[in-house]
Amino acid sequence: MRLPNLGLVSHRFGALLALALTACTVQIGGHDDDGDGLFNSEELDFGTDPDDVDTDDDRVWDGEEVFVFGTNPRDTDTDDDGMNDRADPIPWVNGAIPATEHALFTQNADGTARTQLVSTRMQENHVVQGPTNAPYLIYQTYLADANGDGAFDESDLSASAIAKMNVDGSRPRYLTDFDAFGLRTNNGAVDVTPHVSPDGTHVIWASDRHALGSFQLRLYVMEVDGERKRRLAYESDAPANDELDSDPHWGPNDRIVWKRETIGSGPRASRLYTATLNRDDWTLEDVTQRTDPADGTLSFFPPGDYDAQISPDGNWIASYRHLADAPGAFGDWDAFVGRFSDAAQPADASITFLLPDTTIADFFPRWNAAGNRLALWSLDSTIASGDAIDVFVFDLDLAGATPSVTAVHNVTAGAGWNESMPSWSTDSAAPEKLYFSASR
């Protein structure tokens, strides 16, 4: 029987009960002409269209509506709360609509051809496309309002999950966080910062699933469909029990970069580490501390380095450092680049800050396919409200003795959203296209 358990359906997803009670066909196999995850005979049972992957046009495919979300594939708003099932953080519960609207956009790096792909009431960020021309995006999302503030966003890390969608924003499905019946359920783990391997076969991410609630994040890998989840081992220099490893990036030649920091209060810093991933036994080899910022105590995140990325040629690392408690709540964050290997590492002589500024915080630098531009997002503390967060593109000169920025482009100014976490398209026909998250 391929249907969800009827008792569970009636308890959690009352809107599906009438459908499920009529769907009693035992399926040993069958045809699925439209490839939506429902056999043709099941489509007849549910009253869905066997030639349409999304009968109700809510951008959630029929099979996932039935077997993953527990929603009605014939109703765009299963719980009748005014939110489309694609936009609803809990689409089977009629509840308050979160105040913040989240979105995913595409746009050319020159600021043209802006297109909104997704509008939701839960954050979908850390979005990355799979390797060249991959038809999917991998991202991080939030399944519950864990801190009770009425939002479903990055402050709800214990309800985070890794998910996958089509490049047009349709067909969301989950790679983590299922119950015994395959229904989407918060597993209580921090599952964050995914990135796809260069060959498109695997996803690396950080999680505390081995010690729920500990925030003792470790690096994990799974196949790109979510199967065969494994915790990575360390050949040397493994993190201590009071440390976390997160923000991994999988670069060419199976080189990995990530951050490590001490868990808890008191003076500490976030430092970058690099290694080579041995896929034979899923071990990180040649583990090397790449940066060494000074320990300190700041009011908003510890000082240090975050969200590093390796350049497409494997020669450079881009990251950003939290330096001080100004400007504003975010602090002073400055983007930098350095060679993957440098005789001076982990000293500061091995990195170059790009455009340090005491009033502008730069986050999340991401390389384009040619390795000569960085997209990042910036917060301008001199803008009191409104459009203070935008996506920028830095043109780089990496040929000289010291890397430098030759031009700066604000590509999202004045659009009425706070745009963040850009990543580059891997579409070979549009290599200068960006994906980014936004909220308002």
Side-chain angles (χ1 to χ4, degrees):
M1 184 80 71
R2 297 181 70 238
L3 296 169
N5 176 277
L6 292 185
L8 187 69
V9 169
S10 64
H11 176 65
R12 292 187 56 196
F13 313 122
L16 264 185
L17 183 58
L19 290 172
L21 289 173
T22 65
C24 55
T25 305
V26 175
Q27 297 294 338
I28 307 298
H31 296 288
D32 178 10
D33 287 348
D34 57 8
D36 65 358
L38 292 179
F39 295 140
N40 293 350
S41 56
E42 290 173 320
E43 302 254 21
L44 294 175
D45 290 333
F46 283 110
T48 53
D49 187 343
D51 296 316
D52 186 347
V53 297
D54 183 10
T55 298
D56 58 8
D57 294 324
D58 63 359
R59 310 193 80 211
V60 186
W61 282 19
D62 292 346
E64 274 104 18
E65 292 227 47
V66 173
F67 293 117
V68 177
F69 292 91
T71 50
N72 188 338
R74 300 196 327 248
D75 188 344
T76 61
D77 181 10
T78 296
D79 56 11
D80 297 321
D81 62 357
M83 281 184 285
N84 177 287
D85 285 344
R86 174 67 180 91
D88 197 336
I90 310 179
W92 53 86
V93 175
N94 188 320
I97 297 177
T100 301
E101 180 184 2
H102 298 280
L104 175 65
F105 289 90
T106 63
Q107 181 177 293
N108 293 334
D110 62 2
T112 63
R114 183 182 176 107
T115 302
Q116 184 172 345
L117 300 179
V118 174
S119 173
T120 69
R121 296 293 166 159
M122 68 284 194
Q123 198 167 28
E124 297 179 340
N125 58 4
H126 292 273
V127 177
V128 293
Q129 188 176 3
T132 306
N133 298 324
Y136 62 84
L137 305 170
I138 302 292
Y139 62 101
Q140 176 179 318
T141 190
Y142 309 89
L143 306 183
D145 176 16
N147 65 357
D149 66 354
F152 293 71
D153 58 24
E154 200 152 17
S155 62
D156 300 306
L157 288 176
S158 64
S160 52
I162 309 302
K164 188 176 184 178
M165 70 175 86
N166 292 346
V167 289
D168 66 357
S170 67
R171 199 193 173 194
R173 58 267 200 205
Y174 289 80
L175 304 182
T176 65
D177 294 73
F178 298 95
D179 66 10
F181 301 96
L183 292 164
R184 190 203 80 163
T185 303
N186 178 27
N187 65 9
V190 177
D191 288 309
V192 292
T193 58
H195 196 272
V196 187
S197 62
D199 62 4
T201 60
H202 290 81
V203 175
I204 192 171
W205 86 105
S207 180
D208 67 353
R209 58 185 45 231
H210 57 282
L212 291 179
S214 68
F215 210 66
Q216 188 191 70
L217 300 180
R218 296 293 181 261
L219 303 185
Y220 281 78
V221 68
M222 59 183 160
E223 293 175 1
V224 75
D225 61 0
E227 296 298 314
R228 297 180 62 81
K229 296 177 176 66
R230 307 171 178 89
R231 180 176 162 184
L232 297 183
Y234 298 79
E235 180 185 56
S236 62
D237 204 5
N241 289 336
D242 65 346
E243 292 179 319
L244 65 82
D245 282 358
S246 187
D247 300 359
H249 179 257
W250 195 326
N253 302 313
D254 288 336
R255 287 176 159 184
I256 309 295
V257 63
W258 71 95
K259 75 165 187 182
R260 176 175 293 174
E261 68 180 77
T262 302
I263 302 169
S265 59
R268 56 185 172 134
S270 173
R271 296 174 171 88
L272 299 185
Y273 280 71
T274 62
T276 299
L277 181 57
N278 184 334
R279 297 198 195 199
D280 292 336
D281 57 5
W282 298 103
T283 296
L284 292 165
E285 300 177 343
D286 302 320
V287 177
T288 302
Q289 183 182 330
R290 179 61 185 79
T291 63
D292 193 22
D295 286 340
T297 302
L298 300 176
S299 63
F300 198 82
F301 289 109
D305 305 326
Y306 293 82
D307 291 304
Q309 189 176 56
I310 303 169
S311 62
D313 63 7
N315 291 331
W316 299 90
I317 291 175
S319 182
Y320 57 94
R321 181 169 291 180
H322 185 19
L323 298 173
D325 270 335
F330 270 100
D332 184 16
W333 306 73
D334 293 316
F336 68 81
V337 296
R339 292 193 177 277
F340 186 91
S341 298
D342 191 298
Q345 67 187 46
D348 285 359
S350 70
I351 63 176
T352 299
F353 290 98
L354 296 178
L355 292 175
D357 191 304
T358 58
T359 64
I360 296 176
D362 291 331
F363 309 87
F364 218 73
R366 293 294 180 255
W367 297 96
N368 68 339
N372 62 355
R373 309 183 90 187
L374 289 173
L376 49 80
W377 62 282
S378 294
L379 183 151
D380 188 338
S381 65
T382 66
I383 299 176
S385 62
D387 201 10
I389 301 175
D390 281 307
V391 172
F392 286 75
V393 173
F394 288 3
D395 296 342
L396 300 180
D397 179 1
L398 300 174
T402 302
S404 63
V405 177
T406 59
V408 177
H409 315 273
N410 183 339
V411 301
T412 63
W417 293 78
N418 285 317
E419 296 95 348
S420 65
M421 293 190 178
S423 63
W424 296 88
S425 166
T426 65
D427 183 350
S428 58
E432 292 297 296
K433 185 172 76 172
L434 295 166
Y435 291 98
F436 53 87
S437 302
S439 62
R440 64 182 179 185

